[in-house]
Amino acid sequence: MDTADTASSRTAVRDPLHDRPPPTARPAHERLLIWATGLSLAAVTTLVGCRVIGVDGVTPVPQLLAFLPWSLVPVGVAAVFTVLLRWRGGLVWALVVLAVAGRYGLPYGPQAATATATTATATATGTGTGTERPVVAHLEVLTSNVEFGQATLGLIETVRREQPDVVFVQECEYICAQLLNARIPRADYPYRHVVKAGQAEGSAILSVLPLTDTDGIEGTLSMPGSEAVVGGRTVRLQLVHPLPPVPGGVDAWRRELDRIRTYAAAHRDAPLILAGDFNATRDHAAFRAVLDGGELRDSAALAGAGRTPSWPAAVPRPLGAQIDHVLVSEDFSVRRARFLDLADTDHRTLLVALDLHAPARR
C-alpha cells in the first residue's frame, strides 16, 4: 500500500466523538428552562424596579403593583430552578430581586398585620405628632364599597350593629340610596350627603354629627365631601372613589388620584379624613403621592393591618390587595382597625376607631 492509500484510509476513519456537542453545551430542555426562568426574572425585575424608582408605568405594571408581595412567589420558584440548573448568574439575579421584593413586601406600619378570614384587628401604637396632645373626641369611621348597591342590606345590618359615627358608601346607586333612607332611621343618622346616580357613580356620607356639604372632588364617580364639628374642631370628611387602573384607563386613574392629592395638599392644615375605595395600594406611586401631598397616614397601617387585603373579597386570605383605605391627618391617632366581610360585594368593609387631638399650641 503506497503513501496515498494510507492517507486516504486515515481520512476515512471518523472520530466517534466528532459529532457530539462540546462538554460545556447544555441539553435543549435545560436551555429552554433557563430562558423561561430568565423571562420570569426579567418581568418581576421590571415590576420591582418601578416600585424602587417610584413610577407606576404602563399596563400591566399598575395592575400588577397592587399584588407586589406575591411577586415573591415566581422569584422564589425561579431561584429554585437556577439552583437545579446550576446557573450561578441567574441565582445571584434571583436573590437580589428576592431581597428587594421582600423589602417592599413587608407589612406597613409599626407591627405586622393580624389577619383572619373575617376580621383583621390590631391595637394602635399612637405614633404621630398629634398624639402628644390631649384627646378631644373619639370617632369611628366606616367605609364600604357595596358594588352597584348589591351589598346595601348587609351594610345596613353592619351599620346597625357597629354604630359608627360616620359612614362612607361607594357605588351606592338609586336603590341603595332608597334603602339607606328607608331602613336607617333619621334618628340614628340625621345628617347625610347623598349623590344619587346609577351603577358605580352614586355615593353617600351618613353621620351622627351635623354636616356641612362641601364641593368635594371632581371625578367620573361621585366623590362628595362634608365638614363636621368634632370636639370643637372642624373636620373635613372626603369620600374617595377614583376610576380603577384598567387597561386603557391608566391615565384617567392617575389623573383622578392626582386630583385627590391636590385636594389633600390644599387642606392639610386642618383635621382631614379621606375614606373610600382608592383603587390603589401603598405600592402605587400615585397613592403615595396622596399621602405625601396631604401629610396623611393610612389608619390601617398605623393599626398594624397595612397588608390586610380588602379586594377581591372572594379570594381566600391572605390573597388580594388593600385598596380600601381611611387616610387621616396627624391630628388623629388610631385605636384599632377591622376589616369586615359583607355578602354580595367584591370589597371588604373597613371600620376604624380614631382619636382626635387638640390643636397644636402656637
Side-chain angles (χ1 to χ4, degrees), residues 144-166:
S144 181
N145 182 321
V146 292
E147 193 180 7
F148 309 128
Q150 297 173 154
T152 304
L153 294 179
L155 172 65
I156 292 171
E157 180 182 346
T158 300
V159 169
R160 288 172 176 169
R161 182 180 69 249
E162 302 294 341
Q163 299 181 343
D165 299 294
V166 183

Side-chain angles (χ1 to χ4, degrees), residues 231-309:
R233 304 194 66 185
T234 300
V235 177
R236 279 193 170 261
L237 306 169
Q238 178 60 51
L239 185 145
V240 172
H241 194 197
L243 290 170
V246 296
V250 172
D251 288 342
W253 166 77
R254 188 179 287 112
R255 184 167 55 250
E256 294 198 353
L257 279 171
D258 187 61
R259 290 174 187 162
I260 297 167
R261 179 198 61 78
T262 300
Y263 175 92
H267 299 94
R268 64 184 178 185
D269 293 331
L272 176 62
I273 298 175
L274 269 66
D277 172 11
F278 283 74
N279 278 311
T281 74
R282 185 71 172 269
D283 291 313
H284 288 110
F287 180 79
R288 296 194 301 277
V290 173
L291 293 172
D292 295 340
E295 298 180 358
L296 300 171
R297 299 167 302 156
D298 193 327
S299 59
L302 287 180
R307 281 293 187 189
T308 303

